[in-house]
Amino acid sequence: MKQISCFFSFFLIALYFFPAFAEPPSSPKILFTSARDGNRDVYIMNPDGSEQVNLTQHRADDQQAVWSPTGEKILFVSDRGGVRDLYFMDPDGSNVRRVFKFKIEDWRTDPTWSPDGTQFVYEQINWDKIEITLYIATLGEQDVEPLADASFPAWSPDGTEIACSVRERLTFINARTGAQEQLLPKKAPFWQRDPSWSATGDKLVFTWNTHEMPPAEAKRPAWIAWKDKMTIYIVNRDGTGLRQLVEEDGPYAQYPQLSPDGEDVLYTRETNGRFQIFKLNLNSGVRTQLTHIIGASLLQANAGGDWFDPAYALPVSPQPHLLTTTWGEVKRQ
């Protein structure tokens, strides 16, 4: 009887997070942030930049949207509740709801899903203490676990580790033990951030400023000092094969995202006074500008990008219509 009660509780939790069996996109789609209407909203578009649609259409700032592994849910950041926090919505922008029932004054931002869709990691920013901590949350639970003082998390495709920036150095944190490993040698310049994994987990793209700051700049904020030298690199998981993808001639580049097939990388760069999203083919070197909106009042006209391709999606996220099958298997054992 106790087992049935536990199952029923988990079933209700799953219904809360996946209430309408939302349909994932049937073709590749990119989520991104745009401020073309005066405030940030979450948009969706095709990989060639066509069919750009506003999903959130809210007067609040909505941003940093990421696909669940199956494409059935979107996790994003919004300040519609008064402070930046995490929200869910369906792929068409419906069923928006807050992830956590309890509110805090800290910001919850920059989420990344586990590959099995049962957990996610996010940043919690305490502006009073100027602290950024990563936390692990489990779907259906309100308790969270601190992981490390770090930022810019990206969960590996095999689920074993989380790439992030620890003291501005790209670091791998073991998702089970918390052990840390730096990607590049300690003597390498820091300002390493924004990691994104390949679908096979053998490569990462990231943002890096390889130049040592002159003494006069050393005490200035990282985003000000020598910011135009920030650009995009790709590297093997073992630290070999380091290669610069975007030239430093011009404004800084940031927010790289590898396509699921590993052939393209998205990144954001300023052009004509506004941020725009570009796509770079790693084989041909052909660069395509995907967004062109310049009417936004904010510099962040278009930024970021999270790529979903159903051809690379696995049926791994919790789904109520599968829970009865799982329960039956457990009961027979």
Side-chain angles (χ1 to χ4, degrees):
M1 192 69 182
K2 182 178 180 181
Q3 290 176 319
I4 294 176
S5 177
C6 290
F7 162 70
F8 185 69
S9 297
F10 187 60
F11 184 81
L12 291 178
I13 290 170
L15 283 177
Y16 173 79
F17 285 106
F18 301 90
F21 303 105
E23 289 292 329
S26 58
S27 61
K29 297 289 182 181
I30 294 171
L31 294 171
F32 67 102
T33 302
S34 180
R36 63 190 62 181
D37 296 323
N39 68 297
R40 298 180 185 90
D41 275 306
V42 174
Y43 280 70
I44 190 172
M45 66 178 169
N46 294 325
D48 63 0
S50 62
E51 298 183 21
Q52 298 183 16
V53 178
N54 187 339
L55 293 182
T56 48
Q57 300 183 26
H58 198 280
R59 62 182 179 275
D61 268 353
D62 303 318
Q63 56 189 310
Q64 296 180 340
V66 288
W67 293 105
S68 67
T70 58
E72 294 171 305
K73 293 294 165 196
I74 295 170
L75 183 57
F76 70 103
V77 176
S78 177
D79 64 359
R80 62 185 62 194
V83 66
R84 290 190 185 181
D85 210 339
L86 301 178
Y87 291 78
F88 288 119
M89 66 176 167
D90 288 351
D92 62 359
S94 63
N95 287 327
V96 176
R97 54 205 179 279
R98 185 191 293 272
V99 172
F100 295 104
K101 294 180 181 178
F102 58 95
K103 298 181 180 180
I104 57 177
E105 294 302 317
D106 295 349
W107 286 9
R108 297 185 180 109
T109 68
D110 209 4
T112 177
W113 290 88
S114 65
D116 65 1
T118 63
Q119 294 180 304
F120 56 89
V121 168
Y122 64 92
E123 292 179 8
Q124 186 164 307
I125 305 176
N126 184 314
W127 289 108
D128 291 334
K129 299 180 179 179
I130 315 298
E131 292 179 348
I132 303 178
T133 305
L134 297 186
Y135 284 84
I136 296 181
T138 301
L139 290 183
E141 298 181 6
Q142 292 292 303
D143 293 333
V144 297
E145 298 179 12
L147 180 65
D149 292 336
S151 55
F152 307 107
W155 212 313
S156 66
D158 65 4
T160 62
E161 56 190 359
I162 295 159
C164 58
S165 183
V166 177
R167 292 182 292 277
E168 295 293 343
R169 295 188 182 279
L170 203 59
T171 302
F172 301 108
I173 300 180
N174 187 293
R176 184 175 60 85
T177 67
Q180 298 186 12
E181 172 195 351
Q182 284 190 9
L183 172 66
L184 300 177
K186 291 184 178 180
K187 64 180 180 180
F190 45 101
W191 310 128
Q192 305 158 15
R193 51 180 61 182
D194 301 331
S196 170
W197 293 88
S198 63
T200 55
D202 62 334
K203 296 180 183 296
L204 299 97
V205 290
F206 65 103
T207 304
W208 192 16
N209 184 341
T210 63
H211 298 267
E212 297 289 351
M213 295 184 188
E217 300 284 355
K219 295 183 179 181
R220 302 178 69 191
W223 62 273
I224 294 177
W226 281 41
K227 66 178 182 178
D228 284 347
K229 298 299 182 181
M230 297 287 287
T231 190
I232 310 301
Y233 285 78
I234 190 169
V235 67
N236 295 329
R237 165 58 185 86
D238 61 5
T240 63
L242 182 66
R243 179 163 60 101
Q244 183 175 329
L245 298 179
V246 179
E247 73 285 348
E248 293 179 5
D249 183 18
Y252 64 100
Q254 58 185 334
Y255 309 141
Q257 178 77 203
L258 272 168
S259 62
D261 61 12
E263 295 183 1
D264 298 284
V265 59
L266 299 176
Y267 66 93
T268 301
R269 195 171 202 178
E270 180 186 341
T271 178
N272 297 321
R274 295 289 185 270
F275 284 159
Q276 304 292 354
I277 300 171
F278 294 81
K279 179 176 67 175
L280 174 68
N281 186 276
L282 298 180
N283 297 319
S284 67
V286 173
R287 184 178 288 103
T288 306
Q289 185 173 337
L290 300 183
T291 61
H292 300 268
I293 302 299
I294 60 175
S297 59
L298 298 174
L299 171 66
Q300 297 90 342
N302 303 278
D306 191 59
W307 207 311
F308 174 77
D309 189 336
Y312 291 84
L314 297 174
V316 292
S317 64
Q319 302 175 62
H321 63 288
L322 295 180
L323 292 180
T324 51
T325 302
T326 303
W327 170 250
E329 291 175 354
V330 171
K331 191 174 181 179
R332 283 195 295 272
Q333 293 175 358

